[in-house]
Amino acid sequence: MRPNLHPRLVNGRFGDPALFVEMLHRKGALLFDIGDLSALSARDLLRVSHVFVTHTHIDHFIGFDALLRVCVGREKVVEMVGPAGYLDRLQHKLLGYEWDLVDRYGTDLVFEAKEVHRGGLCRSARFRFKNAFRGEAQAAGRIDAGLVASGPGFEVRAQPLEHHGPCLGFAVGETAHVNVWKNLLEERGLGTGQWLQALKQAVIDEAENDLLIPLSSGDTAPLGSLRDLVSVTRGQKIAYVSDVADTPRNREAIAELAQDADTLFLEARFAAADAQQANERAHLTTRACGEIARAASVRRLEPFHFSPRYEGENARMLAEVEAAFGRSLTP
């Protein structure tokens, strides 16, 4: 399966948490946590369509200003999701600046924000540049099965967890994965290109066979004559969890969220020998990281958010995770 979701840790295993996920053949990108974002280019930041914040400790949220600065003055909508209390903190962030002359801009930057509570409850609000980012359209509601965001071909689900207070874990998955048989394209003289995205989406949507699909040549063909060009398999899944206490409740919730994930990004803040400090600070150890990933049956584990106290001990930390995981971290 050629992956469509391409994740990368912005600051490696020791830096501020931030996971940038590019989506193949799509302009948008996803950000999970927004710590220091200086390693991302302005082009990267302008691609961000969704931001998912585990909690608002400074190392997970300080990068919001960088995103805001790049996006102001552009016509753009960014969807944002965080835990209980997130809307108030986002509002305070935005009102920390004086928004002068906003009425003279011809463009509007909009943050569609949502905070997730236990039991499927949520609150939402809109913050618009043209309104000096004063909160509007506030509402309470519910989310179904943790679904907090979706777009063409992907869905993001959230799981409430506990750190020193509420936090969230996230999983992004393709609704389905569609593979194109290039040998069949060549046999029929059909070129590659953007038209294949329309074909894939039509197959995922289970559209009628008589639906006309525009081809790269400028002609059209009914969907029924093109279905054999593609095959549909289980979609790719990536889970992301950072800053959680090692409790039975958290372990169970993380394992459920990340079950059978292709890749799990999971914090391992402390070495196994420092379990007492990990418990006092509501973080996971390397051993807990590996054990949780094993319980979730993930295909690949990417431990991160190592404490700076272990600088120079990357190999040791990874070896401890690997021992608890029960297999190699190298795919």
Side-chain angles (χ1 to χ4, degrees):
M1 179 178 77
R2 184 184 183 190
N4 285 326
L5 302 175
H6 295 263
R8 73 177 190 265
L9 286 170
V10 175
N11 301 303
R13 300 192 196 276
F14 283 91
D16 282 2
L19 182 71
F20 185 75
V21 181
E22 298 178 271
M23 297 180 286
L24 195 65
H25 304 306
R26 294 187 177 93
K27 294 180 180 179
L30 315 177
L31 256 180
F32 293 87
D33 273 339
I34 44 176
D36 179 9
L37 299 182
S38 58
L40 292 179
S41 67
R43 178 180 176 276
D44 286 334
L45 292 174
L46 288 172
R47 292 181 61 191
V48 172
S49 58
H50 296 73
V51 176
F52 305 94
V53 176
T54 58
H55 63 302
T56 52
H57 286 179
I58 193 168
D59 56 334
H60 294 253
F61 199 44
I62 191 68
F64 176 72
D65 285 355
L67 178 67
L68 175 65
R69 181 67 183 88
V70 167
C71 291
V72 162
R74 300 176 185 271
E75 191 70 29
K76 187 173 178 63
V77 176
V78 180
E79 293 188 34
M80 304 193 71
V81 179
Y86 179 65
L87 293 184
D88 289 341
R89 290 180 174 87
L90 181 58
Q91 175 73 104
H92 291 315
K93 266 273 196 184
L94 291 165
L95 294 185
Y97 298 100
E98 182 177 357
W99 298 105
D100 189 30
L101 306 177
V102 295
D103 57 312
R104 299 188 184 183
Y105 280 76
T107 56
D108 203 3
L109 169 63
V110 182
F111 294 105
E112 296 282 0
K114 182 182 301 176
E115 66 176 37
V116 179
H117 299 246
R118 287 196 179 276
L121 300 175
C122 71
R123 293 175 57 223
S124 60
R126 178 181 298 121
F127 303 97
R128 294 189 303 117
F129 174 63
K130 296 284 283 183
N131 194 32
F133 290 122
R134 292 183 290 269
E136 56 186 273
Q138 300 195 27
R142 299 188 66 85
I143 56 175
D144 181 34
L147 183 64
V148 292
S150 61
F154 76 92
E155 295 178 340
V156 179
R157 299 182 186 274
Q159 177 72 265
L161 302 166
E162 287 295 326
H163 181 36
H164 294 298
C167 67
L168 297 176
F170 297 101
V172 54
E174 294 178 285
T175 50
H177 187 86
V178 184
N179 298 290
V180 177
W181 296 102
K182 290 191 175 181
N183 59 321
L184 295 182
L185 286 178
E186 293 172 358
E187 287 176 10
R188 299 186 195 179
L190 297 172
T192 58
Q194 194 61 35
W195 75 276
L196 289 173
Q197 298 308 307
L199 172 60
K200 290 178 181 180
Q201 193 60 51
V203 171
I204 291 173
D205 294 341
E206 299 181 349
E208 297 294 331
N209 282 335
D210 59 358
L211 175 69
L212 293 179
I213 303 295
L215 306 177
S216 57
S217 63
D219 297 325
T220 60
L223 175 60
S225 68
L226 301 172
R227 285 188 184 275
D228 65 323
L229 295 175
V230 300
S231 61
V232 182
T233 59
R234 183 186 76 89
Q236 185 184 1
K237 178 179 177 180
I238 297 168
Y240 175 90
V241 177
S242 184
D243 290 34
V244 289
D246 187 4
T247 65
R249 184 177 186 178
N250 273 347
R251 284 196 178 217
E252 181 179 353
I254 297 168
E256 178 184 348
L257 175 73
Q259 192 66 41
D260 298 323
D262 295 283
T263 307
L264 167 60
F265 291 85
L266 182 59
E267 71 135 326
R269 188 70 170 166
F270 289 90
D274 297 325
Q276 181 177 343
Q277 291 161 297
N279 289 334
E280 291 172 352
R281 302 183 187 185
H283 279 285
L284 299 181
T285 63
T286 50
R287 180 179 295 130
C289 174
E291 290 173 349
I292 292 169
R294 187 176 68 224
S297 299
V298 302
R299 290 171 174 76
R300 178 183 175 191
L301 172 60
E302 288 287 353
F304 74 107
H305 204 19
F306 295 165
S307 169
R309 70 172 64 190
Y310 306 110
E311 286 281 1
E313 299 184 68
N314 188 63
R316 170 200 172 191
M317 298 291 281
L318 293 177
E320 291 185 358
V321 173
E322 194 170 85
F325 186 38
R327 64 177 191 270
S328 173
L329 297 181
T330 304

